[in-house]
Amino acid sequence: MTINGLVIRESKQEEVDQVKKVLVDSYEQYATILSVEQWENYKNSIIDSTENSQTKTKLVALVDNVMLGACFLFDSAEKAYGLPDLEIKYPIVRLLGVSPKARGLGIATELIRASCNLAQEWGSDRIVLHTSDMMQSAIKLYEKLGFKRAKQYEFMNGKILVKSYELTINETTLLTN
């Protein structure tokens, strides 16, 4: 599916508040699943990552100059999570979010496609991302796009298993569309 007027590009420094808003709005659905404390910690982590992250790049999705989605790309688990022991040697997609009002339009897929293109430009043949069971619709999308579980990159965050998925870029049909 193509969205008329959809532009995926690197974010600009002056857009940090917009990026923060679109990501907090997109993850706010989990506030009803998590405890108040867990949600506040998660929200603060999103805000902190937006303001202070060690991203390689931040991508945004805009339609008619309205930001509807964003995702961050990191080049190591140490920079993405402060976890060098994961030894991920591929770009990591983190904080992929789409505004609730724009879900189902293919924006997340386009952000992943752009991430794959960048990863290839950087010399990588795959990308990795992390998620958890509370994000079932995201997991369905990742699996539909060809991501496979990568248990070697999983870790515990408190009592939550942070699942890992990886996509071998040259095996995906994402880049042929």
Side-chain angles (χ1 to χ4, degrees):
M1 173 192 319
T2 314
I3 304 164
N4 288 339
L6 177 66
V7 174
I8 306 286
R9 63 162 171 78
E10 290 190 31
S11 71
K12 300 173 183 170
Q13 184 58 40
E14 64 269 16
E15 295 173 321
V16 69
D17 288 337
Q18 287 178 275
V19 172
K20 205 181 323 178
K21 179 170 179 14
V22 79
L23 289 176
V24 169
D25 287 353
S26 70
Y27 282 87
E28 196 163 32
Q29 66 185 329
Y30 304 114
T32 60
I33 297 169
L34 300 169
S35 71
V36 172
E37 180 182 359
Q38 288 172 318
W39 167 244
E40 283 303 313
N41 289 339
Y42 197 34
K43 182 172 74 172
N44 290 334
S45 170
I46 293 168
I47 291 167
D48 185 57
S49 292
T50 304
E51 295 172 344
N52 305 311
S53 69
Q54 298 182 45
T55 55
K56 185 151 184 173
T57 194
K58 296 175 185 171
L59 296 176
V60 292
L62 301 108
V63 175
D64 298 327
N65 289 317
V66 176
M67 191 176 298
L68 297 174
C71 75
F72 297 173
L73 283 164
F74 294 83
D75 57 12
S76 72
E78 181 173 12
K79 289 183 179 173
Y81 307 107
L83 297 172
D85 292 349
L86 287 180
E87 296 185 11
I88 299 173
K89 298 174 179 25
Y90 309 105
I92 298 169
V93 175
R94 184 161 181 241
L95 292 173
L96 171 64
V98 174
S99 172
K101 65 184 177 192
R103 298 231 170 105
L105 301 176
I107 293 172
T109 298
E110 293 305 317
L111 285 164
I112 292 170
R113 184 188 323 269
S115 298
C116 288
N117 282 323
L118 282 173
Q120 276 190 318
E121 285 177 26
W122 299 336
S124 182
D125 67 343
R126 66 191 63 218
I127 60 173
V128 175
L129 56 78
H130 291 87
T131 189
S132 68
D133 284 336
M134 74 177 175
M135 300 178 182
Q136 284 300 311
S137 60
I139 290 171
K140 285 179 187 170
L141 173 66
Y142 304 145
E143 289 174 345
K144 178 182 164 195
L145 295 176
F147 281 83
K148 305 284 186 229
R149 280 287 291 276
K151 292 184 179 185
Q152 70 273 26
Y153 302 136
E154 295 181 352
F155 59 94
M156 296 298 293
N157 183 3
K159 295 180 181 179
I160 297 172
L161 173 63
V162 180
K163 293 181 174 181
S164 182
Y165 287 80
E166 67 182 339
L167 178 70
T168 304
I169 296 169
N170 65 0
E171 294 176 3
T172 184
T173 59
L174 256 180
L175 302 185
T176 58
N177 295 341

